[in-house]
Amino acid sequence: MRYLELRRHSLRVPPDIHLSPAGKLLAAEVGSRMGPFQRVFSSPLPRALETARAMGFQVEQELDLMGLMPSHAERELNLAHSFAEVAQILQIGGAAAEYGRRAADLMLSLVKRLAEGQAALVVSHLGSIESTAITCLPSADYTNWGRLCSYCEGVRLAFEDNKWVDIELIRVEKST
């Protein structure tokens, strides 16, 4: 089996494009429990690149598609609060569905570069992770997947026999 892990970037204080100090700490804490990854990719946006680095990983390649999604797709997903709601929006077949297809195709090309037993990490953004995961596993039951991914959360997709076969939701426990 091969694995692809999609993680949302860490905390920032908008409109700042960089991670906040708390965001760097969160990414470092989460990163210490991740991996290993044979390949690491990121959105080209500073908050994603900084998250991967703060997690302790060197970014091999920036993926433009995993940066901010097209505005039409973002508008369609804007009111979604759960994976199930994103799935309903994608079923309509608009700009968000097209983005999901393109992102899923990109993830397929990345996972096929891995050898058996290897894993890759992609640091991306809210909406991008959810639409990609749902598109990769179109017949899954999203009702139990819950809310959208928060900071440093994501999904781990399993790939075997030339298809996506499983998903693990990755949640981050908040430190007290």
Side-chain angles (χ1 to χ4, degrees), residues 10-50:
S10 195
L11 296 153
R12 69 184 177 111
V13 180
D16 196 348
I17 63 171
H18 299 285
L19 294 184
S20 66
K24 291 176 184 174
L25 288 173
L26 176 63
E29 179 185 328
V30 169
S32 71
R33 299 186 305 266
M34 293 171 57
F37 298 106
Q38 284 67 44
R39 304 189 80 170
V40 177
F41 305 94
S42 174
S43 150
L45 298 179
R47 60 186 176 266
L49 289 164
E50 291 170 7

Side-chain angles (χ1 to χ4, degrees), residues 4-8 66 107 110 120-124 128-130 132-133 136 149 152-157 170:
L4 187 77
E5 197 163 304
L6 297 159
R7 293 282 189 133
R8 184 177 174 194
M66 300 312 287
M107 295 307 105
L110 297 179
L121 171 66
V122 178
V123 180
S124 187
S128 178
I129 294 166
E130 294 83 357
T132 302
C136 287
C149 296
C152 293
E153 293 183 337
V155 299
R156 184 173 174 88
L157 295 161
I170 303 167

Side-chain angles (χ1 to χ4, degrees), residues 29-145:
E29 179 185 328
V30 169
S32 71
R33 299 186 305 266
M34 293 171 57
F37 298 106
Q38 284 67 44
R39 304 189 80 170
V40 177
F41 305 94
S42 174
S43 150
L45 298 179
R47 60 186 176 266
L49 289 164
E50 291 170 7
T51 297
R53 291 180 190 125
M55 287 176 162
F57 303 109
Q58 182 175 341
V59 174
E60 173 183 329
Q61 182 181 353
E62 296 175 23
L63 306 172
D64 290 338
L65 183 63
M66 300 312 287
L68 294 178
M69 69 175 55
S71 60
H72 288 79
E74 190 174 346
R75 277 195 296 277
E76 290 176 9
L77 293 171
N78 193 36
L79 297 177
H81 298 291
S82 68
F83 276 91
E85 290 174 359
V86 170
Q88 289 174 340
I89 292 165
L90 296 179
Q91 288 173 351
I92 295 169
E98 175 58 27
Y99 173 81
R101 282 190 294 276
R102 291 178 56 221
D105 287 346
L106 176 59
M107 295 307 105
L108 183 62
S109 74
L110 297 179
V111 79
K112 285 184 172 184
R113 295 182 201 173
L114 300 172
E116 183 67 22
Q118 290 187 332
L121 171 66
V122 178
V123 180
S124 187
H125 305 274
L126 180 68
S128 178
I129 294 166
E130 294 83 357
S131 58
T132 302
I134 290 166
T135 305
C136 287
L137 290 165
S139 60
D141 177 8
Y142 315 111
T143 57
N144 296 323
W145 291 13

Side-chain angles (χ1 to χ4, degrees), residues 156-173:
R156 184 173 174 88
L157 295 161
F159 187 81
E160 187 173 50
D161 296 329
N162 210 32
K163 65 182 182 248
W164 299 107
V165 295
D166 199 14
I167 188 169
E168 174 189 353
L169 294 169
I170 303 167
R171 300 298 185 186
V172 173
E173 295 294 322

